[in-house]
Amino acid sequence: MPVITNIEDLRILAKARVPRMFYDYADSGSWTESTYRANSADFQAIKLRQRVAINMENRSTASTMIGQKVAMPVAIAPTGLTGMQSADGEIKAANAAKKFGIPFTLSTMSICSIEDVAKETGGHPFWFQLYVMRDRDFIARLIDRAKAAHCSALMITLDLQILGQRHKDIKNGLSAPPKLTIPNIVNMMTKVRWGLGMLGTQRRGFGNIVGHVKGVENMGSLSEWTAKQFDPALSWDDVEWIKNRWGGKLIIKGIQDVEDARLAVNSGADAMIVSNHGGRQLDGAPSSISALPAIVDAVGKDIEVHMDGGIRSGQDVLKARALGARGTYIGRAFLYGLGALGEEGVTKALEIIHKELDLTMAFCGHTNIDTVDKGILLPGTYPV
């Protein structure tokens, strides 16, 4: 076992242990992947101001996201097919988040169902991410299931009305069910740890959908249904309907433009996430961190602003916080940990990010995350 000191170490191990089609699904972007790469690269361009001879004792990274106490301003982002990175992956990640004291967000397109996660985490509150389908009866029932599971926030993703093209998924034959070509079978056979885990679980389909939609009883029928269900006609009127049906904390995900940010405020949501879907939708869109400051300046006093995309370290979290993000989300960073070492790997990813956040905050002259602002950044190196 190699010594693991950063998220990149976990990525390398995950790539060796997870079948290629599922690893590539997590670690890819659309078309040329320029936005996917920019999400991380633009963080690196931002430089920090080091301060010295300042008392660094009694540091705290604790904060809140939509009123919920968090050990650090980080939540686990909703990611589809998490349970294919490691058997029962959503449950493992939710338990790691629970123990660490940060929110876990379950995707509509998860392998483990809402009910699975609620049961296996002892009823611990988690957040649920909603894709809006044409079948509004299914969506209504899905919202009701999230209520019954005591989910403490609902997150509506607005930037997947249509699917961006990801070349690797097409070349790998990623579908529902996966295309078991000879290269895919050979590759899976080399992933012994992963295979043994999958043999030990019955959770291999989309648990929130299969068995909950008329006519969708298996992975084969799911593929046809899903292809027709993402709703290109989604509008802010639908958001209002969902908000009224839900009645609890609401987060809007997928905002990149100031005009859309103002509409998110008007929707009455509690928070919005500056996000380009991890560079998996519109290739050529700006990185999330470069889009963040203008949106914070425009609406930051009216709504809680969060961001995701490109976070691979605690330093990235601190930079986002300095530019006005009340909270951040990690997707690939926790998936690497999950694919590498299961629940232990997710915990390791959180520990790495927390330690980097804590130490960098101190080097920049702060002992409390809530006092961090643009003053920690070197002028001229960050987006405005």
Side-chain angles (χ1 to χ4, degrees):
M1 176 65 65
V3 176
I4 295 171
T5 62
N6 55 39
I7 298 299
E8 177 64 8
D9 290 339
L10 291 171
R11 186 196 68 79
I12 293 170
L13 190 55
K15 188 173 184 179
R17 290 186 166 182
V18 177
R20 179 178 52 244
M21 70 162 57
F22 299 122
Y23 173 82
D24 282 352
Y25 171 78
D27 199 30
S28 64
S30 63
W31 288 326
T32 69
E33 298 190 331
S34 66
T35 297
Y36 162 59
R37 293 191 299 273
N39 274 345
S40 295
D42 287 356
F43 269 112
Q44 301 309 306
I46 301 171
K47 303 305 177 185
L48 299 160
R49 294 177 59 212
Q50 181 176 336
R51 303 297 306 280
V52 297
I54 294 173
N55 189 340
M56 297 180 180
E57 297 175 309
N58 303 315
R59 299 190 300 276
S60 173
T61 61
S63 188
T64 61
M65 292 174 67
I66 57 168
Q68 179 175 324
K69 293 181 179 179
V70 293
M72 58 180 174
V74 174
I76 287 184
T79 57
L81 277 74
T82 298
M84 299 310 289
Q85 303 295 320
S86 178
D88 301 333
E90 290 88 359
I91 293 167
K92 292 173 181 175
N95 274 318
K98 172 185 174 182
K99 294 170 186 174
F100 207 89
I102 66 166
F104 167 79
T105 316
L106 182 70
S107 170
T108 292
M109 305 306 291
S110 60
I111 301 300
C112 301
S113 70
I114 299 171
E115 293 79 9
D116 288 335
V117 175
K119 179 181 178 182
E120 297 298 329
T121 57
H124 184 73
F126 59 95
W127 297 352
F128 181 68
Q129 174 269 339
L130 183 71
Y131 283 128
V132 185
M133 308 292 192
R134 294 176 188 266
D135 185 343
R136 292 299 194 264
D137 178 65
F138 167 69
I139 293 302
R141 287 184 284 109
L142 197 56
I143 293 169
D144 292 345
R145 288 167 60 198
K147 284 183 185 180
H150 305 294
C151 292
S152 53
L154 184 71
M155 180 185 296
I156 307 175
T157 295
L158 296 184
D159 61 355
L160 201 79
Q161 294 170 257
I162 55 176
L163 285 170
Q165 180 169 309
R166 301 147 201 170
H167 299 328
K168 291 176 184 176
D169 289 349
I170 296 172
K171 291 175 179 177
N172 287 333
L174 185 73
S175 59
K179 294 177 182 176
L180 295 180
T181 62
I182 291 176
N184 283 340
I185 293 171
V186 171
N187 181 256
M188 287 184 183
M189 288 175 66
T190 67
K191 314 300 181 183
V192 178
R193 179 190 178 104
W194 178 89
L196 291 173
M198 287 299 169
L199 287 173
T201 182
Q202 296 298 313
R203 302 181 181 104
R204 304 188 196 100
F206 288 104
N208 290 323
I209 300 172
V210 175
H212 296 280
V213 176
K214 185 178 180 180
V216 179
E217 305 300 333
N218 54 54
M219 288 291 280
S221 55
L222 170 69
S223 181
E224 183 179 356
W225 181 84
T226 302
K228 299 176 180 178
Q229 280 298 315
F230 286 104
D231 190 355
L234 174 66
S235 72
W236 288 101
D237 289 338
D238 296 306
V239 173
E240 182 178 5
W241 172 76
I242 292 167
K243 181 178 184 295
N244 292 335
R245 178 88 186 194
W246 169 246
K249 294 283 187 179
L250 186 70
I251 303 169
I252 300 294
K253 181 176 182 288
I255 301 298
Q256 279 266 287
D257 186 88
V258 167
E259 187 174 347
D260 286 335
R262 292 193 177 105
L263 292 171
V265 171
N266 294 341
S267 76
D270 298 279
M272 50 162 284
I273 306 173
V274 177
S275 172
N276 53 40
H277 216 97
R280 295 165 62 77
Q281 285 293 90
L282 175 61
D283 189 39
S287 67
S288 294
I289 193 63
S290 66
L292 176 66
I295 290 174
V296 169
D297 287 346
V299 302
K301 294 180 181 179
D302 304 316
I303 192 172
E304 195 165 301
V305 179
H306 301 171
M307 71 81 61
D308 75 8
I311 292 176
R312 301 291 187 272
S313 72
Q315 288 201 335
D316 295 340
V317 173
L318 190 70
K319 291 171 182 179
R321 184 75 179 207
L323 290 175
R326 183 72 193 178
T328 63
Y329 296 77
I330 56 170
R332 292 181 177 97
F334 97 84
L335 289 176
Y336 298 150
L338 180 65
L341 295 166
E343 183 178 331
E344 178 188 351
V346 179
T347 298
K348 186 67 175 178
L350 297 177
E351 289 172 347
I352 288 168
I353 287 173
H354 181 261
K355 184 174 183 179
E356 292 168 340
L357 172 63
D358 175 61
L359 292 178
T360 306
M361 181 177 69
F363 284 134
C364 292
H366 288 258
T367 58
N368 190 308
I369 193 69
D370 285 336
T371 68
V372 170
D373 58 20
K374 289 181 184 177
I376 71 165
L377 305 178
L378 188 67
T381 70
Y382 58 87
V384 294

